[in-house]
Amino acid sequence: MLDEPYRWLEAVNNRRDYIEDQLRGGSPVVGLKYDDGLLLVTISRGQRKIFEVHDRIALSAIGHSADVERLRMMATDTASVQGFQSSVDDVTLHRLTHFVLGPTIKQSFEAIFGSAYIIKMLLAELGVQGGGEGFISLNYDGTVQANQHSEVIGGSHDAEIAMQNYLSAAETSELPLDSALQLALETWVVGWELGVQQTDADSDGEENAHSEPATDKAQLHEVLREELKSGEIEGAVLEASRRSNNKFRLLASDEISAAVTDWL
Amino acid sequence: MTNYKGDFLDLLKAQNCQIQLDLPATPAAGGTLSSIQETEGTTVLAVRYKDGVLIGGDRRATAGNVVMYDRAEKLLQIDEHSVLAIAGSPATAYEMARVLEHSFQYFRRSQLQELSLEGKLRTLSRLIRENLPMTLQGIGGVIPIFAIYDLLSDDENGGKIFFYDALGAHFESADFATSGSGSVWIRGILFYQNRWGDKPLADMDEQEATITVLRLLDAAAEYDSATSGYNPKSNIYPTVKTITKDGIHNLSVERLREVYAESVETTYAR
């Protein structure tokens, strides 16, 4: 039955709907450049979402935790072996996403008798002397999108667009870490709010075309305060000025509260 | 393959990356023992001082009575708080250090926690043990010192020094450790200094510990042809590093020059 092209397309589309449903409630991740490197921020509930992959590469994801774990290990294993066999300088994000993660995700997405990865990933790479620096996101079907300055993943495509719009309206160049963190958190709320509205609308069986992303700062902060009662800010940086070869660093909780307390 | 243990050596094996030469433990029948003259490292020492561990090494690499290289780096930083000081074959030692560095990082990245001190020591033990066939063949033997600052230590001074034997057993040394061909000349001096000197090594500050280590390297160079002290012709100094709770610090050449001129070159006036 599935060898007919139409059936196959239909099966793939069903899969698309299924995975999108599963991802909708995911907590977005915002990736942003700041004056000393790259920042990844999200709000997590108990489970860590941002990881170190290699000296200059960080990974975050939304989706099923088992899938996140499997692909995170694949990325870490590949980068570690490559870095050991030749040189850590030969490990690049482009190769990791385009040659390893992308094809793997696509293959399982289209193998309709097997299980697909329920995942969206956002990876960041700190370039050597500014070259090759930026973010790459991977969709659940294996498509790859690169952006030098900022990148987001969220529960739905609409949420991602709203977040990108919010970011492009803001001043993002040469931000110090605390301002970048604040901007990232506001962007997170924009994506999260939209995701919640859409999930509500879905469960009510209504059309969700009317949902508009919130952009009023006071309102965003209000939602953020509410969300922080049950969630925790998780942030990590790839820090150019870090003395070690290893540029990844999880932000300490006192560092985060120092940046957020008076502002919120 | 999923690697649940975070073991980098297993990962390399699974990916068919061979890190050690597959030599039989004894030469083939009718064969001769190695006829290549291998490059070797010479004197390294570590002392536990007030703030942690101070570790020093000379710069000479020799093959038989040929000086191969006069700028060899024998103190290899493994992570932010540990250093491997190597004596023996640099070919094996550098590779060992590289495997070690990648192993610790791989464990942290894959298991989302730092490898414990015991885990780090075991990894090095395993590398040395797996190198045994080479050592028995008479090439590629390495007897390192592993110095680390243990941030989780109950002791106020987390500096710790471990030394190994050729089979990979590790021993913690309370005050100091030495390795390499020049070490026989200075081990006794260290014992004497620690017991009857002006103050025990553990009470010395960085300056005093640096003077002690530079003087001992000079003493080793005096008696061991395979150890270089300060080389005035090319202006090469031994390397000295400190490992404290703030991490690893390399003493600059300027600083070493100063200490050397003040406290090593001066002797009793005659």
Side-chain angles (χ1 to χ4, degrees), chain B residues 54-110:
Chain B
L54 189 129
I55 187 159
D58 81 304
R59 308 288 296 273
R60 179 169 291 177
T62 56
N65 52 15
V66 178
V67 176
M68 291 288 287
Y69 191 41
D70 240 346
R71 293 175 194 273
E73 178 55 74
K74 298 173 189 174
L75 310 180
L76 310 173
Q77 177 169 350
I78 303 299
D79 62 19
E80 280 166 39
H81 288 96
S82 58
V83 170
L84 186 73
I86 56 166
S89 165
T92 315
Y94 287 146
E95 197 61 5
M96 232 176 232
R98 228 164 65 81
V99 174
L100 217 53
E101 184 188 346
H102 286 261
S103 297
F104 295 175
Q105 287 190 339
Y106 180 70
F107 187 89
R108 186 187 64 242
R109 287 170 181 155
S110 64

Side-chain angles (χ1 to χ4, degrees), chain A residues 52 55 72 77 84 246, chain B residues 17 80 98 106 108-110:
Chain A
E52 168 188 10
D55 286 2
R72 177 181 82 79
D77 285 3
F84 176 78
N246 187 31
Chain B
C17 306
E80 280 166 39
R98 228 164 65 81
Y106 180 70
R108 186 187 64 242
R109 287 170 181 155
S110 64

Side-chain angles (χ1 to χ4, degrees), chain B residues 25 33-34 57 74 126 131 163 167 174 192 198 203 234:
Chain B
L33 265 172
S34 73
K74 298 173 189 174
R126 188 172 156 196
N131 190 45
F163 60 98
L167 283 162
Y192 185 92
D198 292 339
D203 293 346
S234 323

Side-chain angles (χ1 to χ4, degrees), chain B residues 159-198:
Chain B
K160 290 185 171 161
I161 303 169
F162 299 88
F163 60 98
Y164 285 79
D165 70 7
L167 283 162
H170 64 253
F171 308 95
E172 181 168 2
S173 165
D175 304 306
F176 60 84
T178 60
S179 189
S181 58
S183 66
V184 288
W185 306 105
I186 57 173
R187 201 165 163 213
I189 310 179
L190 268 168
F191 179 79
Y192 185 92
Q193 168 100 29
N194 193 37
R195 191 133 183 209
W196 298 291
D198 292 339

